Amino acid sequence: MSSAAVTAPLARATPERTEELREALAEIRQRVGTASAKATAPRRSPVLVAVSKYKPASDILACYEDGQRDFGENYVQELVDKAAQLPQDIRWHFIGTLQSNKAKILASIPNLYAIQTVSSIKGASALNKALPSDRLSPLNVLLQVNTSGEDAKSGVPPLSTGSPPTALPDADVDASELVQLARHVLSECPRLRLQGLMTIGSLQESLAAQEKPNEDFARLVATRDALQAALARAGFPPEGGRWGEEGRLLLSMGMSSDFEAALAAGSDIVRVGTGIFGARPKKEEVKSN
């Protein structure tokens, strides 16, 4: 059986549902391409992560058969269950809250491609320890930044302040929680690769995206630039190849309601769920089924 084979019998989406998903995926891809072309700085082609939370494996398979490879999940057990059923060349992105006690379960998924929600040294260390020694490549991690400052959001504080956002003084940046976390990953976690930064912006900024630049996205861009400079000062220059891709930390920002604004602001990875799969049931409804 090839590595891309489905490992267990899996119900397929109906022809009608398959066509619905393909049309939605084609529209999102087209919008991603258009928005990316308008970005101010040239960069690599953006990655579209199809967020399949609460959606059946049959929906994911239909998108997979239409060429989609990057999928995101918020819940550990749901990801474990789907990964066991679906093709092994899917690139799974974990985008839910990272709990250190779940690191071992996540690390057991062979085709886990990235964890986008690392926000503590404890979590990073737990992941590094849990990853099997025979894993073929380091696990990509993105550090989550709370750009909106909302108490309900996870993540470390950004390295920029004000409106429009400007970087903090170098001394404050170097002493920051984010820089300490990044340095820990680079120095103490050889089974992890620091790929970039991730944020979930505020709903208020998202809704105002048509009227003005999204300051949460601008704050993450400024934070990325400040972090890269701080890493260079700490002995981890971009030409060393220890972090990011092509000498730059990647940015994951933008979801169904604001991914075009995120791409215009410089995002490399967008996370789209409802725009592809349609409205999700509530968590309570999923548990009752």
Side-chain angles (χ1 to χ4, degrees):
M1 184 179 291
S2 71
S3 62
V6 178
T7 57
L10 180 64
R12 289 183 173 270
T14 65
E16 294 79 12
R17 176 60 173 163
T18 297
E19 183 61 25
E20 182 180 272
L21 288 165
R22 287 180 175 175
E23 288 179 1
L25 188 55
E27 179 189 348
I28 295 296
R29 285 169 170 165
Q30 188 272 327
R31 289 170 61 188
V32 165
T34 299
S36 180
K38 295 178 181 177
T40 53
R43 62 187 189 281
R44 68 200 288 275
S45 297
V47 173
L48 169 62
V49 176
V51 180
S52 43
K53 177 176 73 172
Y54 296 157
K55 294 299 179 177
S58 56
D59 277 7
I60 300 171
L61 184 61
C63 292
Y64 171 88
E65 291 178 339
D66 198 40
Q68 181 66 24
R69 291 295 179 271
D70 293 275
F71 293 89
E73 289 288 341
N74 291 67
Y75 298 107
V76 173
Q77 194 55 53
E78 189 174 358
L79 174 52
V80 169
D81 293 343
K82 288 175 177 176
Q85 298 178 66
L86 288 157
Q88 292 298 298
D89 59 339
I90 283 177
R91 292 184 290 268
W92 290 106
H93 299 246
F94 182 71
I95 57 174
T97 301
L98 176 62
Q99 298 173 297
S100 299
N101 62 348
K102 298 292 181 67
K104 190 172 183 179
I105 302 173
L106 281 169
S108 70
I109 301 170
N111 53 330
L112 180 64
Y113 176 76
I115 292 184
Q116 297 199 18
T117 51
V118 174
S119 60
S120 71
I121 288 175
K122 181 181 179 182
S125 296
L127 277 174
N128 184 71
K129 181 180 179 181
L131 285 166
S133 58
D134 59 353
R135 183 181 166 94
L136 297 179
S137 60
L139 174 64
N140 294 304
V141 296
L142 289 88
L143 310 182
Q144 185 171 357
V145 179
N146 185 352
T147 52
S148 66
E150 296 169 283
D151 292 339
K153 298 266 173 65
S154 299
V156 297
L159 304 180
S160 55
T161 187
S163 177
T166 56
L168 299 171
D170 287 354
D172 292 340
V173 168
D174 291 344
S176 68
E177 187 177 352
L178 177 59
V179 169
Q180 299 310 308
L181 173 56
R183 291 180 62 175
H184 177 79
V185 170
L186 293 172
S187 300
E188 306 296 334
C189 301
R191 294 176 183 170
L192 305 181
R193 177 170 180 82
L194 177 58
Q195 190 179 41
L197 303 177
M198 176 270 218
T199 197
I200 303 172
S202 70
L203 179 60
Q204 179 180 353
E205 285 294 316
S206 175
L207 293 175
Q210 300 299 323
E211 303 166 15
K212 67 179 186 67
N214 187 307
E215 290 201 355
D216 290 333
F217 296 160
R219 200 165 285 118
L220 192 69
V221 172
T223 294
R224 186 267 309 276
D225 294 346
L227 175 58
Q228 290 181 165
L231 291 178
R233 289 194 296 272
F236 303 102
E239 55 269 21
R242 297 281 303 278
W243 46 260
E245 294 186 13
E246 299 175 358
R248 190 172 59 86
L249 290 167
L250 303 187
L251 299 179
S252 174
M253 54 188 190
M255 299 186 288
S256 290
S257 61
D258 58 10
F259 70 86
E260 285 156 312
L263 288 166
S267 186
D268 301 285
I269 304 166
V270 292
R271 313 176 302 273
V272 179
T274 304
I276 296 171
F277 295 102
R280 297 188 189 93
K282 295 180 180 179
K283 189 173 184 178
E284 297 76 18
E285 295 172 357
V286 173
K287 286 184 175 181
S288 65
N289 289 338

